[in-house]
Amino acid sequence: MSIRIRLLLSYTCILIVTIVLFLAAALLFVVAITGDVRSVKDFYNIHYSVNPLTEQEETIFLDLKYMAKNEPDSLLDPELLDQYNYKLRAEQAELFIRKEDKQLYSSLSVKQPAFMEHLPDYEMENNAIRNTLQIGEHFYAYAKFDFYFPDRSKGSVLVVRERSPFAEIVRTLLPIFLGVLFIVLLLMNVLLYYVLTRSIVKPLELLRKSTERITAGNLSFELHAEGNDEIARLSEAFEVMRGKLKQSVEKQLQYEHNRKELIANITHDLKTPITSIKASIEGIRDGVPDTKQKMERYVNTILTKADDMDQLIDELFLYSKLDLKQLPFTFEPINLGHFIQDYAEDLQFDLQEQGIQLEWSIDTSPDSSVLADRDKLKRVLVNIMDNCVKYMKESPKKISITLQPEQGQLCLTIRDNGPGISEEAVPFVFERFFREDLSRSSQTGGSGLGLAIAKQIIEGHDGSIYAESKLGAGTSIIILLPPAKQ
């Protein structure tokens, strides 16, 4: 059974129970007043007719009724009537007697001269002897008995008591009030059902549809939670889950894409040297190198390509261990300025032999200390310098190294005056196997893992690395490392 049906049945039961309890309370109230359960069905219509007078007034009325039945002439005696009227006035009631269309006796003439005109017609069967009537703004309850005088003329004796107008208004409006109360109660239940259905069923329906979309593989949507109740918080948690699931799927797809790309790149970079080795071996087998010099050239080709493959495998292995966080770092406090200066001085002579001028401006103060792994940090410098040397073609060839504090970090900049990199390619230079030369020729680059390894190592030092370059304006590699805490 759906929640909507359950709510509808619940509110219907609440409405029915409320009405039943209200009617039961009214029944008990009527029985308590009348003392007779049989009078319940006529309570509202005849309540004032049954009990219009007090007990003392009712006793006097019964005496007058007896006289009207047995001694109607006595009701023509003014002194006797005055005596009964005196007793009634002590109970705040009045006596009124009429004969045919004439008023024989009335103590209401001063207060209400039009009383005679509003009296009901004669009813000799006396079926309705108690009732109320309204004259202007005044309300009266009366007990009436119709009889015949000895001359067969019709007469009536009435004991009258003035009622509160408010009580009469309530009595008149009570059916309307009860009807309005029932309608309001019904409308309130319908309204509450609608509001709760909208605030509960609608969000749950959205959650159901969202679940179906996720089951179908669609994660590109947003679930907007409204309100601040439990269902809204559930929707927010569901939306967070959907977002994380989408990120996970996208990351998994990216990993799969990277894996395929990695396999393709490894296949390409290994196939080239293997092809060269295979061709050299086939040439040797076929006797192509018929001289010692040719044989040495073929063997050197095989050895060179084997070294290239070995270096590629070593770099790939190193990158994989860095990427999987399986290569431990041995951190120690070092003065980064002294470390780089020593490296530059050792490298200077090798670069001079290649026609490259190396310059450096390094801060060697105690503030340039960092926590670093010496071997891995040197690997970063070697990879970056190899890239600088590899792509420099035209003279004069210059490489500069600077180290200075910058915004609470140590900024290491390695700049060359090589051909530069296109602005479109700069964001990708630290990706594995990336080469701006799409031909992936070994003549224009190495394995494509050097800068990717450098990025992994720098990030392992809680630092960052990025490149700045323009075609024809050289390339700068900037490394930011946090200083060692004192």
Side-chain angles (χ1 to χ4, degrees):
M1 186 182 295
S2 66
I3 295 179
R4 189 187 300 272
I5 299 299
R6 291 181 182 180
L7 287 174
L8 180 60
L9 293 178
S10 298
Y11 279 104
T12 302
C13 291
I14 292 174
L15 180 62
I16 293 174
V17 169
T18 303
I19 294 174
V20 169
L21 291 177
F22 179 81
L23 293 177
L27 173 64
L28 294 175
F29 178 74
V30 171
V31 172
I33 291 178
T34 62
D36 185 1
V37 71
R38 293 174 297 178
S39 64
V40 171
K41 64 178 182 178
D42 299 322
F43 170 75
Y44 180 76
N45 293 326
I46 66 172
H47 171 67
Y48 284 97
S49 300
V50 174
N51 298 289
L53 308 176
T54 64
E55 182 178 354
Q56 184 64 29
E57 293 167 353
E58 189 69 24
T59 300
I60 298 174
F61 172 72
L62 292 177
D63 290 344
L64 294 170
K65 178 180 176 181
Y66 178 83
M67 293 173 58
K69 282 184 177 181
N70 301 292
E71 301 175 3
D73 287 342
S74 61
L75 296 178
L76 299 176
D77 184 357
E79 294 182 1
L80 180 62
L81 297 178
D82 287 338
Q83 293 177 8
Y84 277 105
N85 186 58
Y86 178 78
K87 295 178 182 180
L88 290 172
R89 291 178 71 87
E91 298 294 329
Q92 297 183 346
E94 308 287 348
L95 176 62
F96 186 92
I97 296 177
R98 67 176 177 175
K99 183 178 181 181
E100 293 295 343
D101 295 332
K102 295 180 181 180
Q103 174 180 306
L104 289 182
Y105 185 90
S106 174
S107 58
L108 293 167
S109 58
V110 177
K111 290 189 199 177
Q112 193 54 262
F115 186 80
M116 181 72 179
E117 301 173 2
H118 292 81
L119 286 177
D121 293 336
Y122 286 100
E123 185 194 10
M124 306 312 295
E125 294 83 6
N126 288 303
N127 294 322
I129 63 174
R130 293 173 175 82
N131 209 334
T132 61
L133 57 85
Q134 178 181 359
I135 304 175
E137 297 180 356
H138 297 272
F139 294 87
Y140 299 92
Y142 64 86
K144 173 178 71 71
F145 183 77
D146 295 329
F147 61 93
Y148 287 104
F149 282 99
D151 58 0
R152 303 302 300 169
S153 60
K154 297 178 181 180
S156 299
V157 56
L158 295 93
V159 174
V160 183
R161 182 182 182 86
E162 188 172 1
R163 292 286 184 182
S164 168
F166 299 105
E168 291 299 323
I169 292 175
V170 170
R171 177 175 178 263
T172 304
L173 297 179
L174 185 60
I176 300 174
F177 173 75
L178 293 178
V180 171
L181 181 63
F182 175 77
I183 294 173
V184 169
L185 186 62
L186 180 63
L187 291 178
M188 284 298 297
N189 277 273
V190 172
L191 181 61
L192 287 174
Y193 167 75
Y194 172 77
V195 171
L196 285 180
T197 300
R198 184 178 179 84
S199 60
I200 295 177
V201 177
K202 185 178 178 182
L204 291 178
E205 184 69 15
L206 289 176
L207 283 175
R208 184 189 65 80
K209 292 181 179 178
S210 300
T211 305
E212 291 178 352
R213 295 172 72 176
I214 292 178
T215 304
N218 179 15
L219 294 170
S220 300
F221 65 93
E222 290 186 9
L223 180 63
H224 299 285
E226 297 180 358
N228 193 30
D229 54 9
E230 289 79 1
I231 296 181
R233 289 194 289 271
L234 174 62
S235 300
E236 292 174 357
F238 186 91
E239 174 62 18
V240 172
M241 180 195 70
R242 182 204 63 81
K244 291 187 178 296
L245 184 60
K246 182 180 179 183
Q247 292 177 2
S248 177
V249 171
E250 291 176 348
K251 187 177 292 185
Q252 186 66 31
L253 293 175
Q254 184 64 37
Y255 283 159
E256 182 66 18
H257 174 75
N258 292 343
R259 185 185 65 83
K260 292 179 180 179
E261 185 179 349
L262 178 62
I263 293 174
N265 292 334
I266 293 174
T267 302
H268 184 280
D269 286 348
L270 289 177
K271 186 175 182 180
T272 301
I274 288 176
T275 302
S276 298
I277 292 172
K278 183 179 178 182
S280 298
I281 293 175
E282 289 177 349
I284 293 174
R285 184 190 63 184
D286 295 338
V288 174
D290 52 359
T291 63
K292 185 178 180 180
Q293 290 80 7
K294 288 184 178 180
M295 179 61 73
E296 289 179 352
R297 188 169 66 249
Y298 272 68
V299 172
N300 288 335
T301 300
I302 294 173
L303 182 60
T304 300
K305 297 303 179 182
D307 288 340
D308 290 343
M309 291 175 60
D310 186 59
Q311 182 181 0
L312 173 61
I313 292 172
D314 287 342
E315 290 188 344
L316 182 61
F317 182 69
L318 175 61
Y319 176 81
S320 298
K321 294 190 73 174
L322 287 169
D323 192 33
L324 295 173
K325 312 297 184 187
Q326 293 180 350
L327 189 64
F329 284 73
T330 305
F331 292 104
E332 59 178 307
I334 64 173
N335 188 298
L336 187 60
H338 289 306
F339 179 82
I340 296 174
Q341 186 171 356
D342 293 341
Y343 173 77
E345 290 174 351
D346 293 340
L347 185 63
Q348 182 180 15
F349 300 104
D350 293 335
L351 293 180
Q352 284 179 353
E353 293 178 359
Q354 302 179 50
I356 301 174
Q357 180 182 354
L358 179 61
E359 300 175 348
W360 63 84
S361 173
I362 298 173
D363 180 7
T364 58
S365 66
D367 293 335
S368 62
S369 296
V370 295
L371 285 175
D373 186 316
R374 289 178 178 271
D375 294 336
K376 294 181 178 62
L377 195 57
K378 186 174 182 179
R379 182 60 181 264
V380 172
L381 297 175
V382 170
N383 288 357
I384 295 175
M385 296 303 294
D386 284 347
N387 268 21
C388 293
V389 172
K390 192 180 301 177
Y391 293 101
M392 296 177 70
K393 305 297 182 183
E394 299 179 0
S395 298
K397 301 177 181 180
K398 293 183 180 181
I399 298 177
S400 64
I401 302 175
T402 59
L403 176 66
Q404 58 186 7
E406 182 178 304
Q407 297 181 353
Q409 291 185 306
L410 295 176
C411 179
L412 172 62
T413 304
I414 302 175
R415 181 178 293 106
D416 64 48
N417 63 344
I421 307 171
S422 64
E423 294 184 6
E424 295 79 9
V426 169
F428 306 102
V429 296
F430 295 100
E431 293 187 4
R432 60 189 176 215
F433 293 108
F434 175 79
R435 290 177 185 160
E436 191 175 10
D437 178 13
L438 299 180
S439 66
R440 300 189 62 81
S441 170
S442 62
Q443 303 297 324
T444 59
S447 65
L449 290 171
L451 290 180
I453 291 173
K455 181 181 180 182
Q456 291 279 4
I457 293 175
I458 293 300
E459 289 180 348
H461 285 73
D462 292 331
S464 60
I465 183 172
Y466 61 95
E468 293 179 352
S469 182
K470 289 184 180 180
L471 287 175
T475 302
S476 297
I477 302 296
I478 297 95
I479 299 173
L480 298 174
L481 290 173
K485 296 180 180 179
Q486 297 299 326

